[in-house]
């Protein structure tokens, strides 16, 4: 973006795995959508909240450049939204949970849930759920069915409880 400034920059670090802006996602018991995010839909099994812009990258042409081509940055209304626990475990693999870029969301919703800070929230919720799976000898869907209150309480030991919507929401 600033070739004059960086023309002679020394190369000092590169990730050992090439980064991707688009990922495979697992299907959970619920698939969070763009509409859910934009309308701030409340879910009874919300375990964490996510926030931030929709960050969409489209491969538009053969010279596709991550930063310069077909990049949509939609700040929407800058308000947080619920992540239901059903997006964090698989619909058909009983002992599989997801956090980060692979959770159960549509393409547009995933363009925000993939953010690092948001993935960290999912990780706290899935770690708490894994602890409860061990405690009750059950699987993630068993936690959703029988121990949701304890899951939400355990998560809220680490991050702010979700609670009721504020006036702004
Ligand atoms: C170019 C680029 C710029 C971005 N900029 C931002 C930004 O500014 N801010 C932001 O919040 N987000 C940004 N993102 C998005 C964000 O970085 C990612 O979506 C996020 O880091 C994904 O986290 P994750 O933990 O889900 O996956 P990852 O960070 O990809 O972690 C998955 C890990 O699993 C490892 N792994 C894979 N297979 C195996 C295996 N079989 N065994 C063991 N380990 C394995 C991988 O090596 C990797 O370390 C950007 C993404 C890209 C590609």
């Amino acid at each position: 973006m600033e070739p004059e400034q960086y023309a002679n920059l020394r190369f000092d670090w590169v990730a050992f795995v090439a980064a991707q802006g688009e990922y495979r996602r697992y299907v959970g018991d619920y698939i969070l959508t763009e509409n859910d995010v934009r309308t701030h839909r409340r879910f009874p099994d919300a375990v964490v909240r996510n926030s931030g812009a929709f960050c969409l990258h489209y491969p538009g042409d053969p010279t596709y450049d991550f930063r310069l081509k077909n990049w949509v940055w939609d700040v929407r209304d800058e308000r947080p939204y619920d992540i239901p626990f059903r997006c964090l475990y698989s619909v058909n693999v009983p002992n599989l949970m997801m956090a980060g870029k692979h959770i159960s969301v549509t393409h547009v919703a995933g363009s925000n849930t993939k953010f690092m800070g948001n993935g960290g929230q999912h990780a706290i919720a899935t770690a708490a759920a894994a602890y409860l799976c061990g405690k009750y000898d059950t699987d993630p869907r068993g936690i959703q069915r029988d121990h949701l209150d304890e899951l939400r309480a355990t998560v809220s030991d680490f991050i702010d409880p979700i609670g009721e919507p504020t006036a702004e929401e």
Side-chain angles (χ1 to χ4, degrees):
M1 286 179 166
E2 298 168 44
E4 296 80 15
Q5 182 175 350
Y6 295 112
N8 299 311
L9 195 69
R10 287 174 67 95
F11 192 68
D12 60 12
W13 180 86
V14 64
F16 70 96
V17 178
Q20 283 177 280
E22 180 67 36
Y23 319 104
R24 292 177 190 274
R25 299 177 302 277
Y26 293 93
V27 176
D29 273 356
Y30 186 75
I31 301 173
L32 192 79
T33 69
E34 175 184 0
N35 284 342
D36 294 332
V37 176
R38 289 199 189 276
T39 62
H40 305 275
R41 182 171 172 189
R42 302 310 305 256
F43 292 95
D45 61 329
V47 277
V48 294
R49 310 203 79 193
N50 275 179
S51 57
F54 291 124
C55 172
L56 289 151
H57 300 272
Y58 298 104
D61 61 51
T63 57
Y64 174 69
D65 179 287
F66 170 76
R67 298 238 170 241
L68 302 181
K69 309 282 186 193
N70 293 305
W71 179 21
V72 177
W73 179 260
D74 176 350
V75 296
R76 41 179 203 93
D77 56 13
E78 300 185 339
R79 287 156 46 199
Y81 59 91
D82 285 359
I83 298 292
F85 182 55
R86 285 167 293 162
C87 295
L88 305 184
Y89 66 87
S90 166
V91 70
N92 61 353
V93 182
N95 63 351
L96 179 65
M97 287 192 280
M98 302 82 80
K101 63 193 183 187
H102 301 295
I103 70 170
S104 181
V105 289
T106 62
H107 174 243
V108 176
S111 79
N112 178 246
T113 57
K114 71 178 180 184
F115 282 0
M116 292 181 277
N118 288 339
Q121 303 281 308
H122 316 152
I124 290 169
T126 49
Y131 158 72
L132 294 175
C133 285
K135 180 177 175 183
Y136 293 110
D137 192 22
T138 187
D139 60 15
R141 190 175 286 116
I143 299 298
Q144 167 79 21
R145 186 182 58 235
D146 301 324
H147 305 286
L148 197 54
D149 288 346
E150 188 170 353
L151 174 60
R152 285 161 56 95
T154 306
V155 171
S156 69
D157 285 345
F158 298 92
I159 53 181
D160 290 340
I162 289 180
E164 294 305 310
T166 64
E168 289 175 347
E169 295 167 7

